Amino acid sequence: MVTVKHLSIYSSLSLAVLLILGCMRESQAGVVEDFNHVERCKDSLYMGTPPRGYLLSNFLKKLCQRYEDKPRFVTLYDPHKHIPVYSAYTFKKSDGEKRVDFPWMFEPQLASEKGSSNMEPFPQSSSHMHMNFEDSQAVLEDYADVVQYERGHLNPDEHQADPLDKASTYTLTNVVPQIREFNIGPWAEHEDLIRKRLNNYCRGKAYVVTGVTTSGNMIRRDNLDRVAIPEYMWSAYCCTDYDQNAPYFLRYKFPVFGAYGLNDRVNNHLVEVPVKNLEKFLRGRMDVDKNFQIFYNDCVPDS
C-alpha cells in the first residue's frame, strides 16, 4: 500500500531528479540564466562576477561561449541589435599570432532552446539556411556588402594561446562592425599594446572585459535594420598579481585600467583611463544605472 509518507518520499526524489536534470541542462547550455551557474563559465570573470548595472537586462542574452564542449569565454548579447554588448575572457600569454583560417560560427541556442550548446560553423549551403536563425543574431550576409566595416573581435584571438581558444573567438556573437580604418589602426594597436603589457607584467591571471556603446546607427540589409554599429569601443583589464618592479609609467596602470575609442575614420585614437573614469564615461552612453561596475569591487582584492 502506498502511504502519504511514501508519496512524500517519491515527491522529494522527483524534485531531486528534476533539480539534477536542470543543473545538467544548465551546465551544457550555451544561453544561460546566470554565468555563475554554468560549469567553469564563471572562470572567465574576476571573482566569478559579471559587470553589474545593465538596465533592460531581461532583453539581453547571457552566452556561455562553448566550443568543442568546453566553455571558452562569456558574452552578453543583444538579440535585437544583433551584436554583443560585451565579451569577458581570461587573457592567455601569447605571441600575438592571428589565425584567419577558422570558420565563422553562430550560437544555435539563440535560435532555438533545442539547439546545440556548442557554437557551430555557419552552414555551407545557401542563405535560406541562415534564415532559420537570423532573427536572433547576425549572419554572414549582414557583413557581405559593407566594405567600410570589418568584423571586430571583442575577445581577440591574439589574446589567446590554445588553438581551440583562438578558434572560439570566431563567432559572430563575439564581433561588431568596426570602421576599417579604426579596426586595422588604433584598435589593433591597442590590442597588441595590452597583449605585451599583460605578457610582461601580469604575474597571475588577467581578466578582460571589452564592450561597445551604440547610438542608433545600423547596417541595413534588404531594407531592414540588421546590425548595430558601435559608436565607441571600450576595454578594461584586471590583474591583481603583477610585477611590483614594473616601470612607474606602467605600474600605475595595475591592477586595473581601461580605454575607449571612437569607432570612426578620424579622431579614433584610444584613450587610456583609470577604470573609474571609464565607468563614468560609459554611464552617460549606455543603458546602465549609477551602480554600473565593470569588475567586482573595481578589481581591488579583499584584504
Side-chain angles (χ1 to χ4, degrees):
M1 185 175 75
V2 178
T3 65
V4 172
K5 181 178 179 181
H6 288 129
L7 288 172
S8 177
I9 293 171
Y10 295 151
S11 297
S12 298
L13 286 171
S14 298
L15 179 59
V17 169
L18 285 172
L19 286 171
I20 291 169
L21 288 173
C23 289
M24 287 174 65
R25 280 195 297 268
E26 182 74 357
S27 71
Q28 296 300 313
V31 178
V32 299
E33 292 295 322
D34 190 330
F35 291 133
N36 288 335
H37 293 169
V38 184
E39 180 190 4
R40 293 192 305 279
C41 233
K42 65 180 181 180
D43 291 350
S44 297
L45 300 158
Y46 175 65
M47 300 297 288
T49 305
R52 75 177 188 199
Y54 279 92
L55 302 174
L56 305 174
S57 58
N58 290 340
F59 297 101
L60 304 174
K61 298 293 186 181
K62 297 180 178 72
L63 305 184
C64 181
Q65 299 276 23
R66 291 171 62 91
Y67 180 66
E68 298 285 335
D69 293 320
K70 180 182 175 183
R72 306 289 171 171
F73 61 102
V74 302
T75 297
L76 187 65
Y77 193 78
D78 189 327
H80 304 291
K81 295 179 180 178
H82 298 154
I83 59 168
V85 178
Y86 67 75
S87 284
Y89 59 95
T90 53
F91 171 86
K92 314 296 192 312
K93 295 192 178 200
S94 76
D95 57 10
E97 180 185 356
K98 186 176 178 67
R99 296 289 298 274
V100 293
D101 55 349
F102 295 122
W104 284 101
M105 294 178 280
F106 70 102
E107 173 54 62
Q109 289 201 343
L110 279 175
S112 169
E113 291 181 2
K114 297 177 182 178
S116 167
S117 64
N118 284 298
M119 60 181 75
E120 294 182 351
F122 280 98
Q124 294 293 319
S125 55
S126 63
S127 61
H128 78 274
M129 290 282 291
H130 295 192
M131 293 176 66
N132 295 332
F133 42 79
E134 67 178 2
D135 286 345
S136 62
Q137 59 198 292
V139 295
L140 293 172
E141 287 81 2
D142 294 323
Y143 287 90
D145 297 315
V146 284
V147 294
Q148 68 269 44
Y149 297 107
E150 297 283 340
R151 285 169 279 201
H153 285 69
L154 300 193
N155 173 11
D157 69 339
E158 300 97 318
H159 285 190
Q160 303 299 328
D162 180 86
L164 295 182
D165 286 340
K166 283 178 173 290
S168 73
T169 67
Y170 286 85
T171 165
L172 287 193
T173 57
N174 179 50
V175 302
V176 294
Q178 285 186 336
I179 293 286
R180 177 173 170 75
E181 290 84 349
F182 177 68
N183 173 271
I184 65 176
W187 187 251
E189 291 163 8
H190 180 73
E191 287 178 337
D192 197 51
L193 174 76
I194 298 305
R195 180 186 67 81
K196 291 175 179 174
R197 182 181 300 169
L198 296 178
N199 267 356
N200 293 332
Y201 300 107
C202 182
R203 296 289 177 254
K205 187 177 281 190
Y207 301 87
V208 183
V209 182
T210 299
V212 303
T213 76
T214 59
S215 60
N217 293 326
M218 303 284 290
I219 288 178
R220 290 176 63 83
R221 177 167 61 85
D222 298 332
N223 293 318
L224 294 173
D225 286 341
R226 284 296 303 160
V227 182
I229 301 165
E231 180 180 23
Y232 284 93
M233 302 289 303
W234 61 268
S235 187
Y237 62 81
C238 164
C239 169
T240 57
D241 180 10
Y242 60 93
D243 185 356
Q244 302 283 345
N245 294 317
Y248 175 74
F249 71 90
L250 288 172
R251 192 166 71 249
Y252 83 93
K253 295 179 179 179
F254 284 94
V256 60
F257 222 63
Y260 64 87
L262 184 66
N263 182 30
D264 206 342
R265 290 179 178 81
V266 295
N267 301 321
N268 56 10
H269 63 286
L270 267 289
V271 181
E272 282 203 84
V273 291
V275 72
K276 289 273 195 186
N277 296 38
L278 176 61
E279 289 167 347
K280 182 178 180 180
F281 176 82
L282 294 175
R283 281 189 196 103
R285 291 168 173 82
M286 300 196 310
D287 291 325
V288 294
D289 62 29
K290 66 182 189 317
N291 296 315
F292 172 66
Q293 190 176 60
I294 297 171
F295 295 111
Y296 172 78
N297 201 30
D298 286 326
C299 186
V300 177
D302 295 327
S303 56

